[in-house]
Amino acid sequence: MRDYVKAKVGEQHLVPLISSPDVFTQSVFDALPNAFVMKANHGSSFVEIVQDKSKVTFDGLRTMANRWMSTDFYLIARERHYRQIRPRIFFEELLLDEHRQIPADYKVHCFGGKSGRPMMYIVVISDRFGNNTRGDVFDVHWNHLDVGIGPYARSTTPPPPPENLNSILDMAAVLAEDFNYVRVDLYAPGNAVYFGELTFTPGAGVVPMRPDRVDFEWGRLLT
């Protein structure tokens, strides 16, 4: 995936990779910086944010990594693209915004990328790893839509558009141009834009949307 993104939009949009070891050992742990993110490549929510290495242990992270590695994510909801992925643990730099917080997650749903500029809706997940997680849906003009998605509550006061909104949308469009549908996840701390992931079956295709008609309306865009 990193090679695909590098070829499409450039290496500068990849979150810097610290390590991608064949085996997670004590020496790998010892070489990690004070702050990092541990991930696995073969499923959803395999993410562990470490902001202070002194507060975690190698044994604790290894147990978590082994649990991830032993999980066949295809068997959970039969999302077939997970079936051929060779499981791997890797470590990335921890991205922080100007307030030293985890940046918002811009999940750009892209419909019809193969036919030109896709139809796009942006789901902004704020404070994803905190105690006040919110999910807000916008169109490309940053109109706050009366749409709820998944378990997230909408913000009473919606977040303002990022200064680099056009860059976010342009990158999402480029990464979506080989697909009829894909959700492009991006981060935009400061004035940068970083790639998160490409998702073809968000929530295994069963995440509830509110009101129900939105599920139908977005589904029609797949035809």
Side-chain angles (χ1 to χ4, degrees):
M1 183 66 72
R2 289 177 66 90
D3 289 340
Y4 176 82
V5 174
K6 178 180 177 180
K8 298 291 285 187
V9 297
E11 189 173 15
Q12 70 273 21
H13 297 295
L14 293 170
V15 178
L17 182 67
I18 298 171
S19 179
S20 181
D22 291 326
V23 180
F24 182 29
T25 62
Q26 179 73 55
S27 61
V28 171
F29 175 78
D30 291 343
L32 292 171
N34 184 59
F36 57 88
V37 181
M38 182 174 79
K39 297 181 178 181
N41 67 337
H42 65 292
S44 177
S45 299
F46 292 158
V47 178
E48 179 68 10
I49 293 175
V50 176
Q51 300 195 53
D52 184 349
K53 187 178 174 182
S54 69
K55 295 182 179 179
V56 300
T57 65
F58 165 65
D59 287 338
L61 290 182
R62 181 176 60 178
T63 297
M64 181 181 297
N66 287 343
R67 184 173 69 250
W68 293 350
M69 294 290 281
S70 65
T71 300
D72 186 342
F73 207 79
Y74 165 74
L75 296 179
I76 294 175
R78 296 300 193 271
E79 294 172 270
R80 61 184 181 181
H81 42 277
Y82 288 118
R83 198 171 194 177
Q84 304 300 322
I85 297 176
R86 177 191 169 210
R88 195 173 189 94
I89 296 293
F90 61 100
F91 301 87
E92 292 180 340
E93 287 189 11
L94 174 63
L95 298 179
L96 297 174
D97 64 19
E98 63 272 21
H99 304 294
R100 306 297 295 171
Q101 301 297 315
I102 305 298
D105 195 347
Y106 296 92
K107 298 179 178 295
V108 188
H109 293 259
C110 301
F111 300 87
K114 278 189 171 182
S115 303
R117 183 83 171 183
M119 170 76 76
M120 293 184 280
Y121 292 99
I122 308 105
V123 179
V124 182
I125 308 299
S126 307
D127 197 26
R128 178 181 173 188
F129 299 98
N131 298 318
N132 190 34
T133 306
R134 292 290 183 268
D136 295 279
V137 183
F138 298 87
D139 64 16
V140 295
H141 305 293
W142 211 252
N143 294 306
H144 191 213
L145 305 180
D146 187 16
V147 174
I149 188 166
Y152 305 111
R154 297 173 73 241
S155 299
T156 303
T157 302
E163 293 183 3
N164 51 359
L165 175 60
N166 288 337
S167 296
I168 291 171
L169 296 176
D170 288 345
M171 187 182 301
V174 171
L175 291 173
E177 64 187 9
D178 295 323
F179 311 105
N180 290 321
Y181 168 80
V182 66
R183 194 191 75 197
V184 181
D185 292 4
L186 302 170
Y187 307 103
N191 202 37
V193 182
Y194 289 101
F195 170 76
E197 64 174 296
L198 299 181
T199 302
F200 299 95
T201 52
V206 296
V207 172
M209 303 183 73
R210 303 175 299 277
D212 289 345
R213 62 174 174 77
V214 178
D215 203 350
F216 175 74
E217 291 168 357
W218 286 25
R220 289 185 65 183
L221 297 174
L222 296 173
T223 60

